[in-house]
Amino acid sequence: MVLMGSDPVYYYEYKPVFMKRSELERAVRLEAASPIKNPGKIYIKDQYIFINEKYKGFHIIDNSNPSAPVQKAFLHIDGCLDIAIKGNYIYADNAIDLVAISANNDYSTISVTGRVRNSFAEPSSPDGYWYARQFERYRPKDGIIVNWEYNY
Amino acid sequence: MAFHCSAQYLSNLDTYTLRTMRYSFLILTLFLLFNSVGFSQDIPVKQKNHGIGIVPQYAFMNGLRTDLDFRLKKGKPNWLVISPEIFLSPANPTVYNYDSMWGAGLELQHRYYLNPKNEIPKGFYLGYGPLFQYFSITAQRYYTERVFENGIEYYKVKLAHVTTGIYKAGVTMTAGYQLVTFRSSVYFDFYLGTGMRLSFDDRLPSGLTHEFNDWWASYGYSGTLLTAGVRIGMLY
């Protein structure tokens, strides 16, 4: 009878969030400004400040008047932790892909102009407790890990 | 010397012990006499056309299986065995780690006794038939849930008390030997066989089926299997 035992239930602080590839590629878009909840890296380009919302994208802040910065928009890129900007092109990690996004001068419109698929490894659990075999059974078909949510 | 020792030993036994031994011997003698009459071929026995029994090993699966045997045509060795099953268990942290489980099943078997002249269903036989089982298992588990945020589709892993329905279908072929005793009214059926099972659940892609697919007797087993066991019941 001991052979019949099922896996014990372990409690993890972070749980993976998956997206299907088609949805991952479709979901890069500009959204209305939103509150900063889980900030990461900060990038500065001209009068704009880009603040990372971990695994979700970048807040675009117009800092033309440093005494009164204005949140202009949110650049939604799932699985994103970092960007680099050259000219009017934003280069970002979109989970496991590297995407190139062209933007106009005031970042009011964007479009994805290039994508290098499978450039990066999937983001790993922030606390390192999960390993591949554990969450494989929960992965949907064509699913890619784009986030780790904290909800113990 | 040996006799002397035995006589001395007997003389040392108290009256109660001797009386107990005497009754035990009498009961054993009556049992064997009664049993031998049951096996006797000289005494004509009334044809048995029905049977009812249980399969004790189902208790290991928290189940109860009752076998109802019917002779399909009088005087013929073809029988139909209808086996309704129920399964019920509260939390079982030592084996499957679930909160609760219940289930039901039905197994049918066409059985052919190799000696067609027997008035009672005994001796070697061959059997085959289908089965269907359903289990509802509630357990605290991780599972994948599809959610939409601002129109974007995500799949999130969540921990919750999940109820999963497991459906299992299959076929079984068995060969066995049915021993009939106690005036041809009690049977002990020993069988061995093989079969196939196919299980699926209603909570894909991350149901509990994979956890309950450890071996042949698991609630959600899929694959080929060997089966063996014993049935005990009565004929009438």
Side-chain angles (χ1 to χ4, degrees):
Chain A
M1 294 297 287
V2 291
L3 295 175
M4 298 167 66
S6 59
D7 292 347
V9 176
Y10 297 104
Y11 296 92
Y12 301 100
E13 292 187 352
Y14 293 91
K15 300 174 185 65
V17 178
F18 299 95
M19 286 181 81
K20 294 194 173 184
R21 169 163 282 288
S22 58
E23 191 75 353
L24 177 78
E25 296 185 8
R26 190 184 69 83
V28 176
R29 65 189 188 188
L30 209 56
E31 297 176 349
S34 58
I36 299 171
K37 295 178 181 174
N38 188 19
K41 291 185 175 180
I42 298 174
Y43 191 91
I44 296 175
K45 170 70 173 171
D46 303 328
Q47 75 271 33
Y48 291 98
I49 300 173
F50 298 82
I51 300 178
N52 179 224
E53 186 74 33
K54 286 181 183 174
Y55 301 109
K56 291 179 182 289
F58 273 83
H59 298 277
I60 301 173
I61 297 166
D62 185 350
N63 196 37
S64 301
N65 181 1
S67 62
V70 177
Q71 269 189 268
K72 279 183 63 71
F74 180 71
L75 178 55
H76 185 104
I77 309 170
D78 284 292
C80 181
L81 291 171
D82 209 349
I83 58 169
I85 301 174
K86 186 171 186 180
N88 286 340
Y89 286 93
I90 303 169
Y91 301 92
D93 55 334
N94 184 192
I96 60 174
D97 292 351
L98 174 66
V99 289
I101 303 165
S102 71
N104 61 356
N105 289 334
D106 63 354
Y107 299 99
S108 59
T109 60
I110 61 137
S111 65
V112 176
T113 55
R115 175 179 294 274
V116 183
R117 294 184 175 85
N118 305 315
S119 299
F120 309 108
E122 285 185 316
S124 55
S125 167
D127 58 4
Y129 279 122
W130 285 80
Y131 54 93
R133 188 188 72 83
Q134 289 172 304
F135 57 72
E136 278 309 311
R137 66 174 56 164
Y138 307 108
R139 185 190 295 272
K141 189 179 180 184
D142 299 326
I144 296 166
I145 295 177
V146 297
N147 195 356
W148 289 89
E149 282 193 344
Y150 179 86
N151 50 356
Y152 183 71
Chain B
M1 183 65 180
F3 175 77
H4 174 73
C5 287
S6 298
Q8 187 178 27
Y9 171 73
L10 286 174
S11 66
N12 290 334
L13 293 175
D14 58 54
T15 308
Y16 175 77
T17 305
L18 282 173
R19 193 165 53 203
T20 304
M21 289 175 66
R22 213 160 38 228
Y23 281 138
S24 300
F25 181 75
L26 181 64
I27 290 169
L28 182 63
T29 305
L30 287 173
F31 174 83
L32 291 173
L33 186 65
F34 180 75
N35 205 14
S36 65
V37 169
F39 276 118
S40 172
Q41 298 298 314
D42 298 326
I43 297 175
V45 291
K46 185 182 172 187
Q47 189 178 78
K48 305 287 186 179
N49 294 319
H50 302 90
I52 183 168
I54 58 168
V55 185
Q57 63 268 23
Y58 270 62
F60 289 111
M61 291 177 68
N62 298 301
L64 174 66
R65 173 177 144 181
T66 304
D67 281 13
L68 306 170
D69 296 23
F70 300 93
R71 191 191 293 269
L72 289 175
K73 191 175 181 182
K74 287 188 177 178
K76 299 292 183 182
N78 293 290
W79 286 67
L80 175 66
V81 182
I82 301 174
S83 307
E85 305 157 350
I86 57 169
F87 302 87
L88 187 65
S89 173
N92 192 343
T94 56
V95 180
Y96 273 133
N97 196 18
Y98 52 62
D99 300 334
S100 65
M101 181 279 295
W102 69 268
L106 181 66
E107 191 165 350
L108 301 174
Q109 186 185 63
H110 174 227
R111 180 176 286 203
Y112 181 83
Y113 287 90
L114 298 185
N115 185 355
K117 293 179 181 177
N118 281 339
E119 294 292 299
I120 54 175
K122 68 178 184 179
F124 288 101
Y125 68 84
L126 299 173
Y128 65 92
L131 72 82
F132 179 81
Q133 292 172 329
Y134 171 80
F135 301 99
S136 176
I137 300 175
T138 301
Q140 189 182 35
R141 290 292 186 276
Y142 288 99
Y143 70 101
T144 308
E145 185 173 275
R146 187 170 74 151
V147 297
F148 287 88
E149 292 178 0
N150 296 326
I152 300 173
E153 180 187 60
Y154 297 95
Y155 291 83
K156 296 192 174 185
V157 176
K158 296 190 172 181
L159 178 65
H161 292 269
V162 183
T163 298
T164 296
I166 297 175
Y167 301 87
K168 181 158 69 174
V171 291
T172 308
M173 292 175 289
T174 57
Y177 184 85
Q178 185 153 288
L179 178 69
V180 178
T181 184
F182 291 110
R183 291 188 178 276
S184 302
S185 55
V186 175
Y187 69 78
F188 296 89
D189 177 8
F190 305 93
Y191 61 89
L192 185 68
T194 185
M196 290 184 70
R197 301 286 183 270
L198 178 63
S199 299
F200 56 94
D201 68 37
D202 60 5
R203 216 184 163 85
L204 295 173
S206 61
L208 301 178
T209 306
H210 64 273
E211 290 191 27
F212 295 95
N213 188 13
D214 292 338
W215 73 303
W216 302 334
S218 297
Y219 300 117
Y221 179 74
S222 289
T224 55
L225 56 79
L226 288 176
T227 180
V230 60
R231 298 191 315 150
I232 302 168
M234 297 180 65
L235 297 168
Y236 59 96

